[in-house]
Amino acid sequence: MAEVIAALEPTLVGRYETLRGLLRDMGRVVVAFSGGVDSTLLLAVAVECLGQNALAVTGVSPSLPAAEREEAAGLATRLGARHRWIDTGELEQAGYVANAPDRCYFCKNDLFGRLQALARAEGYPWVVEGANVDDLRDLRPGRQAAREQEIRSPLLEAGLTKADVRELSRALGLPTWEKPAMACLASRIPHGVPVTIERLGQVERAEAALRALGFRSVRVRHHEAIARIELPPGERARLLDPGVGSEVVRALKAVGYLYVVLDLEGYRPGGRPTTASSSASGALPSA
């Protein structure tokens, strides 16, 4: 493995070594682990450097699809990491349920507070999470929560970008190196529309149905009776096939939507904030 890392671009090798040094200096860490690209790399390097002194903790939340929970468990096992689940309580936070543009602050503040309580109780001096340099370029209310809760972001501290994270993940043989971005299910609900378990569940079932039909990078934006589908260009053409489109419409109507539309602007990881007045474009034929 050392030879594979050494063959990478020198700047990236330097950032990787900086990351390893940061984690070694921390000694014992709780890793906020979602099973996404960033937290998987962070956990892999933490286990490499700290062994059993790295504890992965995954929040159990209605905004995290069951399939993602299962994948996180499998990844932790593959990495040889100690792994634990913790219940979250963001749906008890009025600011989260209200679903204003700062919704993520309330979610992250709840999660990080619980992780810090666990860390203090069990003698871990640090809680770490997977933000990278590119996250500084977007509106990320969760970063404020991380600062307030004194959460460390070793990928960011080491100067790693998203591209760096994917390249290192590929070099280390992590299956997540090409995994699509997986924002929480609440991000599919327009700002101003309250986040509820029912809405989250409907979105989860809709996206699971599309993945079962072979779509990979997909978002189903929830507009009450309307499901607005976002897909990258390579997958939009397939959905417009009449046979496939009819299957999609049937599947999404089966989970409770009355209308199914395709967003012609396509898949936008992270996405622009939507509001309750946002409109959808590009209707599919009804089935």
Side-chain angles (χ1 to χ4, degrees):
M1 187 58 66
E3 294 80 6
V4 174
I5 294 296
L8 297 173
E9 194 272 327
T11 300
L12 182 53
V13 174
R15 291 171 181 167
Y16 172 66
E17 292 300 335
T18 298
L19 174 62
R20 296 176 74 228
L22 287 166
L23 289 166
R24 282 196 298 264
D25 288 346
M26 291 182 203
R28 300 188 79 222
V29 299
V30 169
V31 181
F33 179 60
S34 68
V37 181
D38 301 314
S39 67
T40 298
L41 175 66
L42 179 58
L43 179 60
V45 180
V47 170
E48 174 199 348
C49 295
L50 303 176
Q52 295 300 297
N53 284 322
L55 173 65
V57 180
T58 303
V60 178
S61 162
S63 68
L64 180 67
E68 288 298 299
R69 293 197 294 272
E70 294 171 7
E71 185 171 351
L75 286 166
T77 299
R78 174 173 177 158
L79 295 174
R82 296 168 57 231
H83 184 215
R84 194 177 304 176
W85 305 95
I86 188 170
D87 289 328
T88 62
E90 66 271 25
L91 281 168
E92 300 167 10
Q93 306 292 324
Y96 176 83
V97 173
N99 198 17
D102 63 349
R103 179 198 66 240
C104 291
Y105 167 82
F106 299 96
C107 177
K108 293 295 188 182
N109 194 54
D110 177 85
L111 174 63
F112 292 153
R114 291 168 190 261
L115 293 178
Q116 282 288 27
L118 184 155
R120 287 193 296 269
E122 301 191 15
Y124 289 88
W126 299 106
V127 176
V128 297
E129 60 90 43
N132 63 68
V133 170
D134 289 349
D135 292 327
L136 299 179
R137 299 170 185 163
D138 299 326
L139 176 64
R140 300 270 177 167
R143 293 295 306 146
Q144 179 183 345
R147 290 190 295 270
E148 291 176 0
Q149 297 281 359
E150 299 183 335
I151 306 297
R152 296 280 295 272
S153 304
L155 303 179
L156 175 58
E157 293 177 39
L160 290 162
T161 66
K162 190 70 169 189
D164 291 338
V165 169
R166 290 192 182 278
E167 181 61 15
L168 278 175
S169 299
R170 184 195 61 77
L172 293 171
L174 300 178
T176 49
W177 76 271
E178 58 178 350
K179 181 178 181 178
M182 294 296 295
C184 81
L185 293 173
S187 68
R188 320 304 199 256
I189 301 171
H191 292 320
V193 175
V195 178
T196 64
I197 289 178
E198 292 75 20
R199 289 185 174 110
L200 294 172
Q202 190 173 6
V203 171
E204 179 178 2
R205 293 191 299 274
E207 292 190 354
L210 286 175
R211 290 193 176 91
L213 290 171
F215 295 97
R216 188 161 181 264
S217 298
V218 61
R219 293 284 186 271
V220 175
R221 305 292 181 183
H222 179 90
H223 299 275
E224 299 307 311
I226 300 171
R228 174 167 61 90
I229 302 172
E230 293 180 5
L231 291 169
E235 296 197 79
R236 288 205 297 272
R238 178 169 171 262
L239 188 144
L240 291 173
D241 175 271
V244 176
S246 293
E247 286 188 65
V248 167
V249 171
R250 280 194 294 271
L252 269 61
K253 285 190 172 185
V255 304
Y257 291 105
L258 296 180
Y259 307 100
V260 180
V261 302
L262 174 64
D263 189 324
L264 296 182
E265 290 189 87
Y267 172 71
R268 300 182 289 282
R272 294 193 304 267
T274 56
T275 64
S277 61
S278 296
S279 61
S281 57
L284 287 173
S286 60

